[in-house]
Amino acid sequence: MLGEAGCQDIVEIVLWLKKKGSLVDGAQEAYRLSGAFDYLREKYETEQGISMNTAAIEQRIRRTIKSALKNLANLGLEDYYDEVFTRYSSVLFDFGEVRKEMDFERGKSRYGGKINAKKFVEGILILLMDKV
């Protein structure tokens, strides 16, 4: 996932949410991902002088998350009881969607799992809270 174009965007969103104070007393406040995409667009425009479209940022992030889902599903196919698989499959994604992706990778299904960008970002925040 680190080599994907949207990886840095995800890191920036998580840092922005943490700085913004979306974590209050261990609970998350409500936020909209569209606000995070707007923040990234403004940041890139001011820091790098690059005019960005929020839809392009969102698509980059979604592709990166889909890549993470594929990697996790493949890990689950290799070893269903792998520590990394069991820890991240239900925190970052809906487990049913991970199973769908696993079936797709096996060739048992025509469609892979769907991603939920907000659940993915919230999962990262939850994992960060556990490490603190």
Side-chain angles (χ1 to χ4, degrees):
M1 188 174 126
L2 290 175
E4 297 289 327
C7 184
Q8 186 59 39
D9 295 334
I10 294 170
V11 170
E12 291 291 337
I13 287 173
V14 169
L15 291 174
W16 176 69
L17 287 171
K18 194 171 179 186
K19 184 174 129 184
K20 181 181 165 216
S22 290
L23 300 176
V24 178
D25 297 328
Q28 290 180 258
E29 289 184 2
Y31 69 93
R32 297 177 57 92
L33 274 181
S34 60
F37 300 146
D38 289 336
Y39 161 76
L40 283 178
R41 180 184 48 78
E42 291 170 9
K43 178 179 171 122
Y44 293 147
E45 287 177 355
T46 57
E47 289 181 358
Q48 301 171 359
I50 300 172
S51 179
M52 296 286 282
N53 184 348
T54 53
I57 293 169
E58 180 180 2
Q59 185 61 32
R60 226 177 23 224
I61 290 170
R62 293 184 64 76
R63 283 187 183 132
T64 301
I65 295 170
K66 182 65 175 184
S67 173
L69 176 61
K70 285 179 124 179
N71 291 339
L72 198 58
N74 283 319
L75 184 61
L77 288 174
E78 293 295 320
D79 182 8
Y80 195 74
Y81 296 104
D82 182 82
E83 183 180 330
V84 172
F85 176 76
T86 56
R87 177 167 183 168
Y88 296 113
S89 61
S90 61
V91 175
L92 299 177
F93 302 100
D94 290 325
F95 188 73
E97 298 302 325
V98 176
R99 292 291 309 198
K100 286 179 187 176
E101 188 67 28
M102 290 169 70
D103 289 342
F104 177 73
E105 293 294 323
R106 281 188 196 122
K108 291 183 176 182
S109 174
R110 294 177 59 198
Y111 303 104
K114 295 178 183 174
I115 61 149
N116 181 336
K118 189 166 184 174
K119 178 168 177 55
F120 186 83
V121 170
E122 287 174 353
I124 292 173
L125 289 171
I126 288 168
L127 291 169
L128 287 173
M129 285 187 330
D130 285 346
K131 296 212 180 216
V132 174

